[in-house]
Amino acid sequence: MRRRTKQINFLSGEVGKLLIKKKLTIAVAESCTGGLLSSYMTDISGSSEYFILGIVAYSKSRKERVLKIPKAILEKYSSVSDKVSSLMAQNVKRIAKTDIGIGITGYAGPAGGTAKDPKGTVYIAVAFGGKILVKRHLFKGTRVVVKRKAIKQALRLLYTSLRNAE
């Protein structure tokens, strides 16, 4: 666990450096990770230059009310889906008026999940530069392990998006 935490801290720092260098801002909408991404991102000195807002919308009703995810979308696709993670990223970006938005939703376990999306399924979306990139992951492990793996992958996705941006 200690090694994974060091990797996450390193990635958070690298993402922070790129955000500062490129003068970009970010907002995060989290569900299954419960604010962990926001926590790691704000552990970095100087994060107030780029980190604008973090929302933990754990329930369907908060995704609907706070993040403005239409009830029809939540019912049709489920709150754990590529569509919902994409809307979480887009809407938090719009709400916070930032350059980048991240949306994370999933089933951290030990319960939950469906045949299509079993426990350990996490969708991560990055809205940046007029594009939305969504990745589906299936993680194994305890609830805490799934959350940490999701954070690591979210930071990797963000880092890659920033590195590939002009």
Side-chain angles (χ1 to χ4, degrees), residues 10-30:
F10 176 76
L11 279 169
S12 294
E14 293 302 301
V15 164
K17 288 175 192 174
L18 284 172
L19 288 166
I20 289 171
K21 180 180 176 183
K22 294 176 181 266
K23 296 182 175 147
L24 297 171
T25 56
I26 191 167
V28 177
E30 300 179 70

Side-chain angles (χ1 to χ4, degrees), residues 36-107:
L36 196 57
L37 178 58
S38 298
S39 178
Y40 274 107
M41 291 191 78
T42 58
D43 281 348
I44 306 303
S45 179
S47 60
S48 60
E49 289 185 45
Y50 55 83
F51 191 91
I52 306 303
L53 177 69
I55 295 174
V56 177
Y58 208 69
S59 70
K60 281 185 186 180
S61 66
R62 294 305 158 227
K63 286 177 182 74
E64 183 182 350
R65 290 184 188 143
V66 177
L67 292 173
K68 308 300 183 201
I69 310 293
K71 186 175 185 175
I73 297 289
L74 290 165
E75 289 173 357
K76 182 176 180 179
Y77 297 98
S78 150
S79 61
V80 177
S81 63
D82 58 347
K83 183 72 171 171
V84 170
S85 67
S86 175
L87 287 170
M88 288 171 71
Q90 292 173 73
N91 292 357
V92 78
K93 178 180 181 259
R94 182 183 43 76
I95 290 164
K97 297 176 176 50
T98 57
D99 302 298
I100 303 165
I102 297 180
I104 303 175
T105 186
Y107 299 112

Side-chain angles (χ1 to χ4, degrees), residues 95-155:
I95 290 164
K97 297 176 176 50
T98 57
D99 302 298
I100 303 165
I102 297 180
I104 303 175
T105 186
Y107 299 112
T114 65
K116 179 184 175 261
D117 291 317
K119 69 179 181 179
T121 301
V122 178
Y123 289 91
I124 303 167
V126 174
F128 175 44
K131 297 179 183 175
I132 301 152
L133 182 59
V134 181
K135 296 284 185 182
R136 178 186 184 271
H137 299 276
L138 182 57
F139 301 118
K140 300 286 185 206
T142 65
R143 183 177 188 84
V144 171
V145 169
V146 168
K147 288 169 65 171
R148 289 191 194 282
K149 287 179 177 180
I151 297 311
K152 185 176 174 183
Q153 291 306 315
L155 287 166

